[in-house]
Amino acid sequence: MACNENQVKYLIVRPHEGGIMDLLKYMLWGDIQCGMMFLEASQQQVAAATAIDHRWVIFVSIIVRKIISLFRKPMEYTGILIDFFFNFLSLNGGFFGLIYNLVHGKVPIAPKRGTQNFISTIGHIDGRIELYTSNDFTQVLFGTRALMDLCMMGSKLAYENAQVVRNVVSCHWKMHFVDFYDCWNDFQKEKSTQVFILCDKPIDASLILVSFRGTEPFDTDDWSTDFDYSWYEIPKLGKVHMGFLEALGLGSRTNVASFHTSIQIKEHSNSQTPSYLDLAAYYLVKSKLKTLLTDHPNAKFVITGHSLGGALAILFPTVLVLHNEIKLMERLLGVYTFGQPRIGDEHIGAFMQAHLEQPVQKYFRVVYCNDLVPRLPYDNKTFLYKHFGTCLYYNSLYMEQETWLSTMVRLIGLALPGITDHCPTDYVNSVRIGKERTLQNSTF
């Protein structure tokens, strides 16, 4: 490593470094040496202590990620097939419309990915695109239901392609679409982080919204990240989930020193920094925000995201504070996350408290019922990952008419409890008609 190993602390869980027998010996017979085969750490003592103290959690992380990796291609192909099927039906007037067209000799319309008419599976499960209340945010106040609804709908919209996002923002919400970014994840070696930005008005805007895309239903890399236990310790900040740092473009576990390099750079310059930072979500969004806030002197910005997107939404301002971006943070209206996993240890919450809780609360985590993802990575009295901020908890006691597709999703929940409660549909319903319960220092 390029940096001093005595100063850098990290832990990487590598589920494919050992075999099933090694995993069973570790779990059933407490063979720590077998457990350490799956762990890479800055110091041997760190790996040993983790293998001893958190055996059950490490075992679950490894076995779940092994299972997820086995289904990588089947899930990918299933997602492609389901996306095509729903869009094919939608473009051809539904099942009966398709039959009618075939009987009358009309050629069916084939969906084309990346176009304005190609909707994600999440978009088909919940077809609502209109905002619940007025889209006038001239006198925007953080904590209002109107703003929360915009954030949730923005989080749901982030699952769509750029053309769909542009169409909804411009034609339905009557707002100004700024840009859609496909950002680089140097560990995954692909553009797997998506984020879009909008303003409530093209001129003299009052509100700027940044929305990060969450966990794709059929993307095994996203789900594996949620179950990952790997962390990297940032001085003054604390231990941060390594997968979320990678999603923001701030390093790669294949070269641990890259985290130090990426995080220490406050302003990205092509002549001084690694080339992969050209497409890093953190630097792209920060640069665009600075331009927008200069162009709109009366505007404030809000950051949002569902699932993995929620983790990135709160990690983004955390790094801004770390980089002493005082002027940007003064313009932050707040952060709303929905079904967000934990991003790091309790020290992060203490670090961010002065910036997100004073003089008013600026960070709300919305959690629906038995959603599993906010409970990830797993936590207990002595465990690493801890939530911070105010939790707005919603139960399932609301009445809302559902589509046949959302009903089918709920039936899946009989086999996968905690997964179906993660669906954006329930978060939209909760924000609009649910009764919230505010929980301080919640563990979920």
Side-chain angles (χ1 to χ4, degrees):
M1 280 173 37
C3 42
N4 189 336
E5 289 194 6
N6 292 325
Q7 296 177 348
V8 175
K9 292 184 180 180
Y10 68 89
L11 177 78
I12 303 174
V13 181
R14 300 192 183 277
H16 305 297
E17 290 299 311
I20 293 296
M21 287 305 301
D22 298 311
L23 192 59
L24 291 177
K25 288 179 182 178
Y26 171 55
M27 182 59 203
L28 299 179
W29 292 286
D31 190 326
I32 302 304
Q33 291 302 316
C34 285
M36 289 179 63
M37 293 176 63
F38 298 93
L39 304 178
E40 176 189 333
S42 50
Q43 291 134 358
Q44 193 77 355
Q45 304 95 300
V46 173
T50 302
I52 294 170
D53 297 338
H54 307 302
R55 184 170 61 176
W56 168 247
V57 179
I58 295 297
F59 170 79
V60 170
S61 175
I62 293 171
I63 197 69
V64 170
R65 292 171 67 197
K66 276 182 173 289
I67 293 172
I68 288 174
S69 67
L70 291 176
F71 289 92
R72 180 171 186 170
K73 284 300 180 182
M75 285 183 67
E76 180 183 345
Y77 295 144
T78 299
I80 293 172
L81 181 63
I82 290 177
D83 280 345
F84 179 87
F85 175 74
F86 286 145
N87 281 281
F88 185 70
L89 286 182
S90 176
L91 290 174
N92 291 280
F95 178 76
F96 293 107
L98 177 61
I99 298 299
Y100 178 87
N101 290 336
L102 290 174
V103 169
H104 288 79
K106 294 183 178 180
V107 179
I109 302 172
K112 186 176 180 181
R113 188 176 293 272
T115 62
Q116 180 179 310
N117 295 319
F118 195 94
I119 308 301
S120 70
T121 298
I122 286 177
H124 281 288
I125 292 174
D126 186 350
R128 291 171 292 185
I129 58 176
E130 303 295 345
L131 299 178
Y132 191 56
T133 56
S134 169
N135 59 358
D136 181 8
F137 292 95
T138 304
Q139 299 295 328
V140 62
L141 295 174
F142 191 69
T144 60
R145 193 171 289 252
L147 181 59
M148 196 190 303
D149 180 68
L150 173 64
C151 288
M152 182 57 232
M153 293 300 286
S155 298
K156 187 168 81 76
L157 185 60
Y159 286 98
E160 308 298 338
N161 66 63
Q163 296 306 314
V164 174
V165 173
R166 179 190 296 272
N167 179 59
V168 171
V169 170
S170 302
C171 300
H172 293 269
W173 296 357
K174 308 299 180 185
M175 295 183 181
H176 175 58
F177 173 78
V178 175
D179 213 339
F180 183 99
Y181 300 98
D182 277 308
C183 305
W184 184 253
N185 184 319
D186 200 52
F187 171 62
Q188 296 179 4
K189 299 300 180 184
E190 62 180 357
K191 295 179 181 179
S192 57
T193 300
Q194 283 74 42
V195 55
F196 77 87
I197 303 176
L198 64 80
C199 298
D200 65 324
K201 295 176 292 188
I203 300 175
D204 192 24
S206 301
L207 179 69
I208 299 167
L209 181 136
V210 178
S211 180
F212 288 91
R213 195 249 321 149
T215 304
E216 291 275 13
F218 302 103
D219 190 323
T220 54
D221 288 333
D222 284 355
W223 284 106
S224 182
T225 298
D226 288 338
F227 281 92
D228 195 3
Y229 177 59
S230 306
W231 52 262
Y232 179 87
E233 185 171 23
I234 301 175
K236 299 181 181 179
L237 179 60
K239 297 181 176 70
V240 184
H241 191 291
M242 191 173 284
F244 301 151
L245 285 173
E246 290 168 332
L248 271 185
L250 296 176
S252 170
R253 68 189 70 192
T254 55
N255 176 18
V256 178
S258 64
F259 290 108
H260 177 81
T261 302
S262 303
I263 293 168
Q264 294 306 312
I265 298 168
K266 296 184 179 181
E267 292 295 338
H268 173 44
S269 169
N270 289 336
S271 62
Q272 300 177 359
T273 58
S275 59
Y276 64 82
L277 293 182
D278 290 341
L279 293 174
Y282 172 76
Y283 290 105
L284 282 173
V285 173
K286 183 173 77 168
S287 175
K288 192 62 180 181
L289 271 177
K290 287 184 174 181
T291 301
L292 289 171
L293 291 171
T294 300
D295 294 341
H296 304 280
N298 297 316
K300 290 194 173 184
F301 70 98
V302 63
I303 316 173
T304 191
H306 169 260
S307 191
L308 169 63
L312 303 186
I314 186 56
L315 186 56
F316 178 79
T318 301
V319 182
L320 287 182
V321 172
L322 186 67
H323 286 169
N324 201 32
E325 294 284 357
I326 298 175
K327 291 184 178 180
L328 268 180
M329 289 301 295
E330 287 176 348
R331 305 283 291 276
L332 174 66
L333 180 64
V335 180
Y336 263 119
T337 69
F338 304 87
Q340 170 218 315
R342 302 179 178 99
I343 67 165
D345 65 10
E346 59 188 5
H347 298 294
I348 297 178
F351 178 84
M352 290 299 291
Q353 184 175 7
H355 302 278
L356 294 178
E357 296 184 10
Q358 299 174 4
V360 295
Q361 182 65 254
K362 291 185 177 181
Y363 170 38
F364 290 103
R365 293 183 300 104
V366 181
V367 176
Y368 172 73
C369 202
N370 298 315
D371 185 354
L372 174 66
V373 174
R375 280 91 172 168
L376 298 175
Y378 292 109
D379 175 36
N380 60 33
K381 290 182 179 179
T382 61
F383 201 48
L384 170 67
Y385 288 93
K386 306 290 182 183
H387 272 309
F388 63 98
T390 299
C391 173
L392 302 181
Y393 176 80
Y394 291 87
N395 60 29
S396 57
L397 300 179
Y398 64 80
M399 297 298 295
E400 178 74 359
Q401 187 174 0
E402 296 186 335
T403 64
W404 67 271
L405 190 54
S406 60
T407 301
M408 287 184 62
V409 171
R410 289 198 184 282
L411 291 176
I412 296 174
L414 298 176
L416 298 170
I419 297 296
T420 55
D421 279 359
H422 190 57
C423 184
T425 300
D426 286 314
Y427 280 92
V428 174
N429 291 338
S430 295
V431 167
R432 293 184 172 184
I433 60 176
K435 185 176 181 181
E436 71 184 38
R437 187 154 56 99
T438 301
L439 302 176
Q440 297 289 348
N441 301 319
S442 168
T443 59
F444 54 81

